């Protein structure tokens, strides 16, 4: 595997989940695979889980790890070609990327949507420049439009906890005070569709996601109706995608917060969220602290999804 940004890059999904269970049961078995290989993790944005779990996964495989926080200690990077660089950015990404490629064997990139230009965000300008100019395998650690390491971990978690072959999985929008990207819901939709779940997306009008990710999912604007009979409730906020509202907060309606009353509509569903989560905006204290909350096992599986992806990349070097 040279690149990882989509469910299509992982190949057969059943085989990938099976491999994840295998890796989880013997995570140090492959520790020679990464000997003398270096992972460079590049963060344009903050992280707790992705940073720790991916580094841990690389260490399980025997890799060396370098972490670069672009905004702390590195030269400020210009990302646009054609700019007269007479401002506060002394280095261009087009030199920085191949230089970074000199010092490592694999690169992970975190670079969120900027909400300045929808086309630039959805063309994944930053990630694709790393793919084009680094000369190294590159994987997404949440980019402008996708978060596949998270969705793979989510899928592993659902497969671990499901009690029926084809669970009803509901992705629900929930309120948040700030404009968040669509990366997590996009990828969750893409991976849930690929898994063949009975998959429903619910959100207020105006929060429609990109059709390329929604795929065959059912969209239900009535959250209560969507939650009926759900086996898994995946809550997430995202900002508007459609039209001129791209990147805007259209609603902070707290009647969409996942509460005990909302969970009572489900089939004793498990609650999921990628974290970090704003309590009592997205989900009530009671729900996230309940026995049905999977947020910690879900976060733990980030190590496993990262290890499978890095293992596949190392096997292809
Ligand atoms: N879920 C997730 O990616 O968490 P971080 O932003 O902390 O990495």
């Amino acid at each position: 595997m040279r690149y990882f940004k989509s469910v299509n890059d992982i190949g057969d999904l059943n085989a990938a989940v099976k491999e994840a269970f295998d890796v989880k049961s013997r995570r140090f078995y492959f520790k020679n695979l990464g000997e003398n290989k270096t992972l460079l993790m590049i963060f344009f944005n903050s992280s707790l889980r992705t940073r720790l779990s991916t580094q841990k996964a690389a260490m399980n495989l025997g890799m060396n790890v370098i972490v670069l926080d672009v905004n702390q200690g590195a030269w400020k990077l210009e990302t646009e070609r054609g700019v007269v660089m007479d401002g506060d950015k002394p280095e261009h990404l087009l030199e920085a990327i191949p230089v970074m490629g000199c010092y490592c064997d694999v690169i992970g990139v975190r670079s969120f949507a900027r909400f300045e230009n929808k086309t630039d965000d959805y063309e994944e300008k930053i990630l694709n420049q790393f793919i084009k100019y680094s000369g190294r395998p590159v994987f997404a650690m949440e980019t402008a439009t996708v978060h596949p390491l998270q969705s793979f971990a989510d899928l592993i978690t659902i497969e671990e906890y499901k009690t029926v072959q084809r669970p009803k999985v509901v992705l629900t929008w929930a309120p948040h005070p700030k404009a968040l990207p669509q990366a997590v819901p996009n990828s969750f939709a893409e991976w849930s569709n690929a898994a063949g779940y009975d998959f429903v997306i619910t959100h207020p009008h105006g929060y429609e996601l990109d059709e390329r990710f929604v795929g065959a999912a059912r969209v239900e604007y009535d959250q209560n109706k969507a939650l009926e009979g759900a086996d898994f409730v995946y809550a997430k906020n995202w900002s508007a995608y459609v039209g001129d509202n791209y990147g805007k907060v259209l609603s902070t309606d707290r009647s969409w917060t996942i509460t005990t009353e909302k969970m009572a509509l489900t089939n004793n569903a498990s609650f999921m969220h990628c974290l970090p989560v704003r309590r009592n905006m997205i989900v009530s204290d009671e729900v996230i602290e309940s026995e049905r909350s999977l947020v910690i096992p879900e976060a733990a599986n980030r190590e496993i999804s990262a290890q499978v992806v890095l293992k596949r990349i190392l096997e292809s070097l």
Side-chain angles (χ1 to χ4, degrees):
M1 184 162 65
R2 285 290 292 178
Y3 308 111
F4 179 67
K5 53 183 178 176
S6 151
V7 71
N8 299 322
D9 298 323
I10 202 86
D12 182 292
L13 203 47
N14 288 327
V17 171
K18 215 170 147 200
E19 189 173 338
F21 289 160
D22 180 43
V23 162
K24 192 165 180 171
S25 69
R26 47 176 188 158
R27 61 191 80 189
F28 303 110
Y29 183 80
F30 308 97
K31 65 177 186 297
N32 294 330
L33 202 55
E35 196 180 9
N36 298 328
K37 296 283 187 288
T38 299
L39 167 66
L40 173 58
M41 299 199 293
I42 299 163
F43 289 92
F44 288 84
N45 305 94
S46 304
S47 165
L48 187 154
R49 278 142 292 272
T50 304
R51 178 185 300 259
L52 297 180
S53 62
T54 310
Q55 180 158 356
K56 177 66 164 61
M59 286 157 56
N60 293 349
L61 292 164
M63 298 184 84
N64 300 309
V65 181
I66 305 173
V67 181
L68 179 67
D69 288 296
V70 171
N71 298 321
Q72 290 170 24
W75 301 113
K76 238 178 159 180
L77 291 175
E78 177 57 61
T79 57
E80 297 303 314
R81 198 170 168 277
V83 168
V84 177
M85 289 173 57
D86 60 354
D88 65 342
K89 295 174 182 164
E91 177 143 30
H92 202 288
L93 202 62
L94 290 176
E95 283 80 55
I97 291 175
V99 167
M100 292 181 207
C102 296
Y103 309 137
C104 64
D105 301 280
V106 183
I107 297 180
V109 180
R110 165 162 287 203
S111 173
F112 291 172
R114 295 175 175 183
F115 295 139
E116 289 166 6
N117 182 316
K118 181 174 174 175
T119 307
D120 284 359
D121 286 346
Y122 270 72
E123 283 179 356
E124 290 287 5
K125 271 185 89 170
I126 302 289
L127 180 73
N128 285 328
Q129 290 193 81
F130 274 93
I131 289 174
K132 193 167 174 189
Y133 298 115
S134 70
R136 300 295 177 203
V138 173
F139 64 97
M141 299 196 300
E142 187 170 347
T143 59
T145 66
V146 290
H147 197 358
L149 286 176
Q150 180 65 51
S151 300
F152 188 15
D154 296 335
L155 223 76
I156 295 166
T157 311
I158 291 173
E159 291 300 311
E160 280 179 329
Y161 284 86
K162 74 180 187 184
T163 54
V164 292
Q165 185 58 30
R166 186 170 178 261
K168 179 175 177 181
V169 177
V170 177
L171 168 63
T172 178
W173 178 93
H176 192 282
K178 298 205 163 139
L180 298 188
Q182 298 98 30
V184 169
N186 282 346
S187 280
F188 187 74
E190 183 188 41
W191 286 68
S192 294
N193 282 322
Y197 298 144
D198 177 8
F199 182 50
V200 179
I201 305 175
T202 183
H203 54 71
H205 287 278
Y207 279 98
E208 291 77 12
L209 293 164
D210 185 338
E211 284 175 8
R212 289 170 291 185
F213 295 102
V214 172
R218 295 202 310 283
V219 176
E220 170 57 66
Y221 292 97
D222 182 335
Q223 188 194 42
N224 289 350
K225 215 164 151 188
L227 292 173
E228 278 170 19
D231 298 298
F232 293 89
V233 174
Y234 195 101
K236 185 72 184 83
N237 173 267
W238 61 89
S239 61
Y241 165 75
V242 283
D244 293 341
N245 284 330
Y246 177 66
K248 289 189 181 149
V249 175
L250 306 180
S251 166
T252 51
D253 181 356
R254 299 250 306 268
S255 73
W256 283 76
T257 302
I258 297 299
T259 58
T260 305
E261 293 70 34
K262 295 277 180 183
M263 291 300 282
L265 300 169
T266 71
N267 181 30
N268 195 24
S270 296
F271 174 80
M272 299 179 74
H273 188 281
C274 62
L275 304 181
V277 70
R278 298 223 181 201
R279 283 178 175 225
N280 304 309
M281 286 294 294
I282 301 277
V283 59
S284 69
D285 289 321
E286 291 75 21
V287 171
I288 198 166
E289 291 169 5
S290 76
E291 282 183 356
R292 305 303 298 165
S293 173
L294 294 182
V295 295
I296 305 304
E298 198 181 342
N301 278 332
R302 289 294 308 275
E303 177 184 342
I304 307 306
S305 64
Q307 190 165 337
V308 172
V309 168
L310 284 170
K311 177 172 169 287
R312 296 251 184 124
I313 290 173
L314 289 169
E315 286 166 346
S316 72
L317 288 179

